[in-house]
Amino acid sequence: MAAITANGVSKRYGTVTALDRVSLSVEEGEIFGFLGPNGAGKSTFINVLLDFARPTDGSAELFGRDCQADGVSARERVGVLPDGYSVFDRLTGRQHVAYVVRSKDADDDPAEVLERVGISAAADRPASDYSKGMKQRLVLGMALVGEPDLLLLDEPTTGLDPSGAAEIRSILREERDRGAAVFFSSHILEQVEAICDRVGILQDGELVAVDTIDGLRQSIGGGTKLLIDVGELDDATTEAVRGVDGVETVTVSDGTTLEVTCTNDAKMDVVVELQRRGADVMNFRTEEASLEEMFLAYTGGSRA
Amino acid sequence: MNWRVIARTDAALASAPRSTRLVLVLPAVTILAAAYLYPVFGSDPITTARFSGFVDGWLATVVPLTGVLLGHDAVVSERESGSLLLSLSLPHGRGDFVLGKVLSRVGLVSGVVLVAMVLGAGLVVYPFGRLEVVQFCGFVATTVAFGAIWTNLGIAASLSTATKQRAFVVAFGLFFLFVLVWDAIADGLQYGLDRAGLVDGSLPDPVQFVFGLEPGAVFQRVTAGFFDPSASVDGPWYLGEWVALAVFGLWLFGPLTVTYSRFAGSDLS
């Protein structure tokens, strides 16, 4: 059964359209990255799933239960890290987890949960004294209580340093391997690229693409990136390369390295052109297009 | 049974700060002080039933203050900070959440009133007073319900506003209007109409009814009509104790129901 099903979900605030007919489906056992610049409507979508916001049109379901009409049972199998939360003022980290354990009628040991997210040393301190990163870890821990079948995480790595973010990613992989669906939003591409089985890209409230990372790469036309070290480089040569058919962008770094993005077919033409101009090619590498470039291509370069 | 988790957590959190404890001590001290003074100043016979008529005026001022202070931040402080989102991310409905809050806050006020009333009854009865169980229990229940009315009014303010500050203003506006200036408005009107020669001594019955809708007035009319043998309620039927009891019920559930239905239908973020 699909963990998340959205059918044409729209949300308008007055004249502003925050979500425009978003339809998608997320299956159990996959990690789905929900990507988009700030303000694209990612949190609004998650808020509809959690019934914090009511859709103007369309409907959403978690495990076949309507998020609005049947919200409580829809959330029973879900662990959540919402946007814009704050921890309870006078509860310790341990008490936070215990509150979730009671609420979900689960039997997790709060100490083990805190250990897993790496804040057991701070278990008995008031959570309001935690740093932003520790709060994120705490709320992620709360989301893990009761072995949920879906993790719904809004920007889970905010406030974490790179190694913290990597720890979180490995937890998410463990959860996926256990069979849970993981749905998380991010505006940070590396996070999504590193871990997601599928990606949805949201732009101005519209879902502009849903695919695997490889699929996105293909659909954008090969999107190869060439890194060419040349002996000497003058502006005329750069211009000439820019003029080759199939070349999208050309930039120069370190004075003598050309970075060229182009279609697969144009690779040789670029090298031939350099030869013809008498440039001395010292080294030649290709890179797959990163999600970042794909993202820019999809969202018209307006990366937040 | 989700509301139980909410109520338990909230009661533990809400009763921890010293400010809450001070607020809760207020009605307890009032009841105990009244129970101590009543045998000294009250007229014979000294009974727990007649004690209700001695203390109800005091309670009509103190209990509303406790109620709004305890109720006004029940929902809005969590809504403003965002911890509400953590609770509602769990399998708790908004109804469970509000019910839990109401039971927690009303429970705190009720518990304090109950304990103080039991101790107060001891002070009234010992050494020369008489315990009249049925009337006294009725009066205690009415006082508990009166506390619930004002706590619910505070929670209603909490449900209908987006910031703690606004909830405070609304809750205190109600307290100020109904408890502090209501009688003065009635007296002023009566004085003015009397001077103008339009009425003779007291306000016309329908106008009295309107002014008598205020929760404290209703509370005192219910007490006088049902529980205090030394007092009586007279006038036309709509000024009687049964109508007062119905109005009492409306105050208990009405404001909360209306504000909850708006809260339940709104976007939280």
Side-chain angles (χ1 to χ4, degrees):
Chain A
M1 183 191 284
I4 301 176
T5 316
N7 303 309
V9 172
S10 295
K11 178 68 183 175
R12 284 183 288 279
Y13 296 98
T15 56
V16 180
T17 301
L19 285 176
D20 190 2
R21 289 160 291 170
V22 173
S23 294
L24 63 81
S25 169
V26 176
E27 301 297 323
E28 285 183 66
E30 73 169 331
I31 301 184
F32 188 95
F34 201 43
L35 191 60
N38 292 336
K42 304 187 295 291
S43 293
T44 306
F45 182 74
I46 292 177
N47 288 341
V48 168
L49 297 181
L50 295 173
D51 196 31
F52 297 163
R54 310 279 156 77
T56 320
D57 274 311
S59 65
E61 292 175 356
L62 299 176
F63 301 104
R65 296 194 172 132
D66 189 90
C67 296
Q68 270 63 45
D70 204 6
V72 173
S73 64
R75 291 194 296 277
E76 251 157 25
R77 297 161 67 186
V78 182
V80 182
L81 188 156
D83 174 56
Y85 71 83
S86 109
V87 294
F88 294 96
D89 258 348
R90 292 183 294 272
L91 291 184
T92 64
R94 189 192 304 276
Q95 287 167 330
H96 273 81
V97 178
Y99 172 54
V100 180
V101 170
R102 281 200 304 277
S103 294
K104 288 196 153 177
D105 220 355
D107 51 10
D108 299 57
D109 176 2
E112 281 171 24
V113 173
L114 295 171
E115 175 76 44
R116 190 167 173 209
V117 292
I119 51 169
S120 43
D124 294 313
R125 277 169 44 201
S128 45
D129 294 347
Y130 286 8
S131 69
K132 174 72 182 163
M134 290 165 74
K135 286 177 185 165
Q136 289 284 98
R137 286 166 184 263
L138 172 61
V139 179
L140 177 68
M142 291 162 70
L144 297 174
V145 168
E147 297 211 330
D149 297 320
L150 168 67
L151 285 170
L152 209 52
L153 313 169
D154 201 335
E155 302 271 358
T157 51
T158 310
L160 291 167
D161 54 31
S163 76
E167 277 177 56
I168 301 297
R169 283 199 298 272
S170 87
I171 290 177
L172 297 189
R173 277 194 205 96
E174 288 164 25
E175 291 294 303
R176 186 255 326 263
D177 295 343
R178 177 171 68 73
V182 179
F183 180 95
F184 78 94
S185 74
S186 180
H187 65 280
I188 301 168
L189 308 145
E190 293 76 15
Q191 309 280 3
V192 174
E193 194 171 17
I195 185 175
C196 287
D197 302 311
R198 283 200 305 148
V199 179
I201 298 180
L202 197 68
Q203 167 73 1
D204 290 334
E206 275 182 78
L207 199 59
V208 293
V210 182
D211 209 337
T212 60
I213 303 245
D214 287 342
L216 285 178
R217 279 206 183 94
Q218 300 236 310
S219 65
I220 212 159
T224 304
K225 184 173 185 180
L226 305 178
L227 294 163
I228 308 162
D229 294 329
V230 288
E232 275 176 39
L233 195 59
D234 52 52
D235 289 349
T237 313
T238 314
E239 276 310 310
V241 172
R242 223 165 248 149
V244 174
D245 263 358
V247 169
E248 285 157 10
T249 63
V250 179
T251 53
V252 180
S253 56
D254 305 336
T256 57
T257 305
L258 274 177
E259 288 187 20
V260 181
T261 56
C262 60
T263 60
N264 251 330
D265 302 341
K267 270 193 274 191
M268 284 315 292
D269 299 342
V270 170
V271 178
V272 169
E273 180 65 21
L274 285 170
Q275 296 277 343
R276 207 172 60 77
R277 287 263 158 188
D280 193 5
V281 176
M282 323 266 285
N283 195 0
F284 178 97
R285 286 166 290 150
T286 65
E287 276 181 7
E288 276 184 303
S290 72
L291 198 60
E292 170 143 12
E293 280 140 297
M294 289 192 269
F295 182 54
L296 291 176
Y298 272 111
T299 59
S302 60
R303 186 186 172 190
Chain B
M1 294 298 145
N2 290 333
W3 49 266
R4 271 197 198 162
V5 179
I6 303 274
R8 206 179 118 186
T9 310
D10 184 70
L13 280 178
S15 59
R18 191 186 296 178
S19 56
T20 317
R21 292 181 183 177
L22 282 174
V23 165
L24 285 171
V25 158
L26 211 60
V29 167
T30 306
I31 290 167
L32 292 177
Y36 181 77
L37 294 175
Y38 165 65
V40 180
F41 294 105
S43 54
D44 281 337
I46 301 296
T47 70
T48 52
R50 287 164 59 107
F51 171 66
S52 62
F54 182 80
V55 74
D56 68 346
W58 303 20
L59 292 176
T61 305
V62 169
V63 167
L65 184 66
T66 300
V68 293
L69 279 172
L70 206 63
H72 82 278
D73 71 342
V75 176
V76 77
S77 59
E78 289 196 24
R79 185 175 185 177
E80 193 175 9
S81 75
S83 54
L84 175 65
L85 301 183
L86 287 187
S87 285
L88 292 184
S89 293
L90 296 167
H92 300 311
R94 295 189 200 185
D96 294 324
F97 182 80
V98 173
L99 181 62
K101 289 284 182 182
V102 168
L103 292 177
S104 151
R105 306 279 164 136
V106 170
L108 287 174
V109 178
S110 306
V112 167
V113 168
L114 275 175
V115 169
M117 281 288 190
V118 169
L119 296 177
L123 287 174
V124 170
V125 171
Y126 182 82
F128 303 117
R130 198 170 71 238
L131 180 68
E132 285 170 346
V133 178
V134 176
Q135 283 100 326
F136 188 67
C137 285
F139 174 63
V140 171
T142 309
T143 307
V144 164
F146 183 58
I149 284 179
W150 277 96
T151 311
N152 286 355
L153 280 173
I155 296 174
S158 203
L159 282 170
S160 56
T161 49
T163 68
K164 206 172 160 177
Q165 200 185 0
R166 263 181 253 160
F168 185 83
V169 169
V170 171
F172 265 78
L174 291 171
F175 174 76
F176 186 77
L177 174 66
F178 283 149
V179 178
L180 299 183
V181 303
W182 195 257
D183 288 346
I185 295 174
D187 291 346
L189 188 67
Q190 183 182 339
Y191 179 76
L193 292 177
D194 201 22
R195 284 298 293 264
L198 292 173
V199 299
D200 187 18
S202 66
L203 290 170
D205 288 341
V207 180
Q208 278 194 34
F209 173 72
V210 171
F211 277 103
L213 290 174
E214 181 266 314
V218 177
F219 167 61
Q220 285 176 290
R221 206 156 353 124
V222 169
T223 303
F226 289 106
F227 310 120
D228 179 5
S230 67
S232 64
V233 178
D234 42 38
W237 63 272
Y238 53 84
L239 291 179
E241 63 265 35
W242 288 102
V243 172
L245 193 63
V247 175
F248 206 61
L250 284 180
W251 277 114
L252 191 53
F253 298 109
L256 202 58
T257 309
V258 171
T259 50
Y260 170 71
S261 67
R262 278 194 51 204
F263 174 76
S266 63
D267 285 348
L268 296 179
S269 60

